[in-house]
C-alpha cells in the first residue's frame, strides 16, 4: 500500500472509496481503495477487502472537486432500529438501478465510535468523507448509506455536519426487536460498548442483557423521535409500499413502474442471503412464540413509551 503525501485529485481519478481510518500526528489518515471489479448497487465492505489498488492519504490532502449540484449525485441516510428491515430496504433501493447503497461502512463506524476521536469528531471530517463517496461514482446514481443501528446515537453530530441530508428511520415494534436481538446479538451488545450506548453512569457491567437491550431500544427511539420529521420514521409493519413511498418522497427518487416492480421483487427475497436465492419468510409467528412475561415487563418499563413518542412523531 502506498502512502501519498501530495494531494490525491479525485476530480480526475474516480473510483476511490474510503475503507478505514487512523490518526497520525493529529491528522486523520484515510485508506482509499479502488474495487477490483464493477461496483453494484449494494456496496458492502466485503466488496472493498480485495481492491485493485489501495492508498493511505491524510484527509486534508485529498483534492476534491468543487461542489457542482448539476453533476454530483444526491445523497441520503438510512437510520434504523436493529432487525427492522434495513438490509431489505437497501436491497430494494439497489434493485432500481438508480441508487448505490453503502452498507454500514467500516470507516464511518470507526469515525463515530472509536474512543480516540468519538468525543471530538470534526464536522469537516464527516463532510469531506461523504464528498469522497459521492465523487467515487460518475454515473450519477443517488448514494445512500445504510447506517449501523447504533449510529442514531450520533445523529446530533451528523445533523450539524450535514444539515440538509434527507434521512429515514426504519423501526419495528420493540417486542419484536428485543426478541430478535436476544436470538441474534449485534455488535453494540458487547460489554465494552454498553457505556457508550447507555452512558458512563449506567450500571452496565451488572445489567442483564435483556434489560440492556430494552433500554437501548428505548434510547434509540427517543433520539429518533426528537429528530423527526427531518429524519422520517417508517414502520416495518407498514410493508414494502410504505417504504417505497417514503423513499420516493424523502429521497426525491423519480421511480418508474419498472423500478417499483424491481423493489417489490427484492422485498420477496431473503436479504441476508447474498445470492438472492432464498425467499423472504415472515417471522411474526416465531417472534410471538418467543415473547415472555419478563420481556413484556422490560419493554413496558424502558421501550414502550419512547416508541409511542416515535409513532406520535410520525403522525
Amino acid at each position: 500500500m502506498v502512502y501519498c503525501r501530495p494531494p490525491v485529485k479525485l476530480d480526475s481519478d474516480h473510483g476511490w472509496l474510503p475503507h478505514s481510518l487512523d490518526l497520525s500526528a493529529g491528522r486523520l489518515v484515510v485508506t482509499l481503495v479502488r474495487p477490483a471489479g464493477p461496483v453494484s448497487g449494494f456496496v458492502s465492505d466485503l466488496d472493498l477487502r480485495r481492491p485493485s489498488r489501495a492508498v493511505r492519504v491524510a484527509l486534508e490532502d485529498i483534492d476534491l472537486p468543487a461542489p457542482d449540484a448539476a453533476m454530483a449525485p444526491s445523497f441520503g441516510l438510512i437510520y434504523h432500529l436493529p432487525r427492522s428491515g434495513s438490509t431489505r430496504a437497501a436491497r430494494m433501493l439497489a434493485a432500481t438501478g438508480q441508487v448505490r447503497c453503502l452498507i454500514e461502512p467500516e470507516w464511518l463506524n470507526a469515525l463515530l465510535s472509536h474512543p480516540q476521536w468519538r468525543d471530538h469528531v470534526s464536522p469537516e471530517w464527516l463532510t469531506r468523507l461523504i464528498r469522497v463517496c459521492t465523487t467515487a461514482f460518475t454515473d450519477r446514481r443517488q448514494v445512500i448509506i445504510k447506517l449501523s443501528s447504533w449510529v442514531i446515537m450520533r445523529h446530533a453530530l451528523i445533523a450539524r455536519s450535514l444539515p440538509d441530508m434527507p434521512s429515514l428511520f426504519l423501526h419495528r415494534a420493540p417486542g419484536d426487536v428485543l426478541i430478535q436481538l436476544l436470538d441474534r446479538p449485534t455488535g453494540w451488545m458487547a460489554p465494552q460498548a454498553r457505556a457508550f450506548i447507555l452512558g458512563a453512569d449506567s450500571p452496565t457491567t451488572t445489567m442483564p442483557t435483556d434489560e440492556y437491550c430494552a433500554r437501548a431500544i428505548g434510547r434509540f427511539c427517543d433520539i429518533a423521535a426528537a429528530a423527526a420529521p427531518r429524519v422520517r420514521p417508517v414502520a416495518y409493519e407498514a410493508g414494502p409500499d410504505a417504504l417505497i413511498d417514503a423513499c420516493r418522497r424523502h429521497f426525491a427518487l423519480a421511480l418508474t413502474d419498472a423500478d417499483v416492480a424491481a423493489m417489490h421483487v427484492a422485498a420477496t427475497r431473503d436479504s441476508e442471503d447474498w445470492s438472492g436465492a432464498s425467499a423472504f419468510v415472515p417471522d411474526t409467528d416465531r417472534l410471538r412464540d418467543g415473547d415472555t412475561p419478563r420481556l413484556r415487563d422490560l419493554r413496558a418499563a424502558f421501550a414502550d413509551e419512547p416508541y409511542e413518542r416515535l409513532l406520535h412523531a410520525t403522525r
Side-chain angles (χ1 to χ4, degrees):
M1 186 182 302
V2 178
Y3 180 82
C4 286
R5 179 62 184 175
V8 174
K9 297 180 68 65
L10 296 190
D11 56 346
S12 59
D13 191 12
H14 298 282
W16 295 97
L17 284 168
H19 182 253
S20 59
L21 310 174
D22 59 87
L23 280 176
S24 177
R27 308 173 83 205
L28 189 67
V29 176
V30 188
T31 298
L32 298 173
V33 299
R34 175 174 280 167
V39 178
S40 70
F42 186 89
V43 186
S44 78
D45 283 325
L46 292 177
D47 298 305
L48 308 180
R49 287 180 182 169
R50 293 183 179 176
S52 62
R53 293 178 64 193
V55 63
R56 291 180 71 246
V57 58
L59 181 60
E60 64 197 58
D61 289 338
I62 298 176
D63 191 0
L64 290 163
D68 183 346
M71 293 301 296
S74 52
F75 206 88
L77 300 174
I78 296 178
Y79 298 92
H80 57 96
L81 283 181
R83 316 295 184 237
S84 295
S86 62
T87 303
R88 182 171 69 156
R91 290 199 180 276
M92 289 171 63
L93 285 164
T96 67
Q98 293 194 39
V99 175
R100 275 198 174 86
C101 285
L102 309 184
I103 309 303
E104 303 183 8
E106 183 178 305
W107 62 265
L108 183 58
N109 287 341
L111 183 68
L112 298 177
S113 69
H114 196 286
Q116 273 188 292
W117 56 67
R118 71 182 179 206
D119 293 327
H120 55 274
V121 171
S122 164
E124 183 183 353
W125 289 355
L126 184 55
T127 303
R128 286 183 64 80
L129 284 162
I130 292 294
R131 288 190 58 209
V132 170
C133 292
T134 59
T135 305
F137 307 113
T138 59
D139 57 9
R140 300 189 59 186
R141 290 196 206 180
Q142 186 156 337
V143 178
I144 294 175
I145 293 185
K146 181 189 98 74
L147 303 164
S148 298
S149 58
W150 60 266
V151 172
I152 191 64
M153 299 278 300
R154 304 294 268 152
H155 173 259
L157 168 68
I158 294 171
R160 288 197 304 273
S161 305
L162 308 163
D164 300 320
M165 181 72 68
S167 306
L168 301 179
F169 182 79
L170 310 187
H171 60 86
R172 189 175 187 177
D176 293 348
V177 175
L178 181 56
I179 292 168
Q180 292 211 63
L181 283 174
L182 297 175
D183 184 45
R184 292 189 297 140
T186 191
W188 54 258
M189 292 169 63
Q192 62 269 25
R194 293 188 173 193
F196 173 62
I197 298 295
L198 294 186
D201 296 335
S202 299
T204 53
T205 56
T206 58
M207 187 181 294
T209 298
D210 53 4
E211 179 182 340
Y212 166 69
C213 289
R215 287 177 181 266
I217 293 168
R219 185 158 194 196
F220 294 169
C221 288
D222 262 336
I223 297 171
R230 175 176 290 178
V231 177
R232 175 68 182 173
V234 182
Y236 174 90
E237 292 83 358
D241 283 325
L243 175 65
I244 291 170
D245 183 63
C247 290
R248 192 197 305 267
R249 293 171 181 270
H250 218 57
F251 294 140
L253 288 174
L255 298 174
T256 65
D257 290 345
D259 290 331
V260 172
M263 294 178 82
H264 276 290
V265 169
T268 68
R269 314 314 300 165
D270 181 357
S271 61
E272 301 300 332
D273 178 0
W274 287 47
S275 71
S278 302
F280 170 73
V281 179
D283 54 12
T284 306
D285 291 340
R286 180 180 65 82
L287 295 176
R288 187 180 299 117
D289 293 342
D291 206 6
T292 66
R294 174 172 169 80
L295 294 184
R296 288 193 290 272
D297 288 345
L298 289 171
R299 189 172 70 234
F302 303 114
D304 283 350
E305 286 189 17
Y307 190 65
E308 284 300 315
R309 287 192 284 273
L310 177 65
L311 293 180
H312 181 74
T314 309
R315 300 185 187 113

